[in-house]
Amino acid sequence: MTPITKVEKLTRSQQVEKKKQAILTAAFDEFVDHGYAGARMELIAKKAGVAKGTVFLHFTDKKTLFIELIKLHVLPVFSKAFQNDSDKILRIQLEELFLPILERLPTSKAFAIIQLILAEGKRFPELTELYYDLVISKGIEKIKQLIDRARKNEKDSIPPALIQYPHLLFAPLIMSFLWQTNFQTYYPIDFKKMVSAHLDILFSNQQ
């Protein structure tokens, strides 16, 4: 006799959470397949196996849903790096900040979301604005904190250009997004080595 397997019934809150996760999974696929402009809430509902009204019960509109995807898939890639804190020299701290991001990003869902923002940001400036608020601004603030602390400890060893333009450190990340999207197949680049080369250039006069 085959033993009867007991199926545990989900609580109401668990059912609600399960539907929400199904919506987020379906939304990611819909955005990747059709872009931000082409994504339709009714198709997301269909893929998630829920009523369209259920989607709006969790997310008021498409923008709100997209913001949740950024929080779910993009922020975790950056948050661990942003939390990095040590007493090492600035050059090493910067490598420890950016190298894990470059290592995790290409195989993560975050990469697809960032590609979408770069592709459609001009048509939908609210996408670039919210990405700046949620991710970029935090990264710039983290870098400024590292630089300010290093200026007290390392004094003249900090490149003046880096003090004036901390955004320079994002150049390898931005290039990696564009290059891997369009040219990596034709000319593969080791972006971890490129970050080190980029820092060599920035710190060349301070060594």
Side-chain angles (χ1 to χ4, degrees):
M1 179 181 295
T2 303
I4 298 175
T5 302
K6 183 179 180 180
V7 178
E8 293 188 7
K9 188 176 181 179
L10 297 177
T11 65
R12 180 172 178 78
S13 61
Q14 289 174 327
Q15 292 174 356
V16 170
E17 182 61 25
K18 184 177 181 180
K19 287 181 179 180
K20 181 180 179 181
Q21 293 306 315
I23 293 168
L24 288 169
T25 299
F28 176 83
D29 293 338
E30 178 70 6
F31 282 122
V32 170
D33 291 342
H34 302 288
Y36 186 80
R40 294 289 180 268
M41 298 293 266
E42 57 267 25
L43 292 179
I44 292 173
K46 184 177 180 180
K47 289 180 179 179
V50 301
K52 183 178 178 181
T54 303
V55 177
F56 286 104
L57 188 65
H58 289 282
F59 307 100
T60 54
D61 53 27
K62 186 162 63 173
K63 180 181 177 181
T64 305
L65 182 50
F66 193 77
I67 290 174
E68 191 65 23
L69 288 175
I70 291 177
K71 292 179 178 179
L72 180 64
H73 296 303
V74 180
L75 286 185
V77 174
F78 292 86
S79 61
K80 186 176 181 180
F82 290 168
Q83 292 169 5
N84 183 47
D85 197 13
S86 73
D87 295 324
K88 298 175 182 177
I89 62 173
L90 181 61
R91 164 64 189 271
I92 293 176
Q93 287 190 70
L94 291 173
E95 285 189 335
E96 291 179 348
L97 176 70
F98 285 102
L99 293 184
I101 295 175
L102 285 169
E103 191 173 70
R104 296 177 61 190
L105 196 60
T107 57
S108 69
K109 290 186 176 181
F111 190 70
I113 293 174
I114 295 171
Q115 284 179 311
L116 192 153
I117 293 171
L118 292 175
E120 300 195 51
K122 189 173 183 179
R123 293 176 60 196
F124 301 96
E126 65 268 24
L127 294 186
T128 52
E129 181 181 3
L130 69 89
Y131 184 71
Y132 178 85
D133 290 340
L134 291 172
V135 182
I136 300 297
S137 64
K138 291 180 175 60
I140 293 175
E141 183 59 31
K142 175 63 177 179
I143 290 171
K144 286 181 177 179
Q145 290 173 3
L146 293 179
I147 292 173
D148 288 343
R149 189 170 61 189
R151 290 177 72 182
K152 296 177 183 178
N153 299 328
E154 301 175 45
K155 297 181 180 180
D156 296 334
S157 65
I158 310 303
L162 190 56
I163 297 171
Q164 187 174 6
Y165 301 108
H167 318 74
L168 284 169
L169 290 165
F170 284 94
L173 283 180
I174 294 172
M175 182 178 176
S176 74
F177 301 149
L178 298 174
W179 195 270
Q180 291 185 73
T181 300
N182 298 290
F183 309 116
Q184 185 73 352
T185 301
Y186 310 107
Y187 196 111
I189 290 179
D190 185 329
F191 290 100
K192 293 176 69 174
K193 290 183 178 179
M194 190 181 74
V195 166
S196 295
H198 183 65
L199 293 174
D200 284 342
I201 295 171
L202 286 176
F203 284 85
S204 60
N205 292 331
Q206 275 63 47
Q207 295 177 352

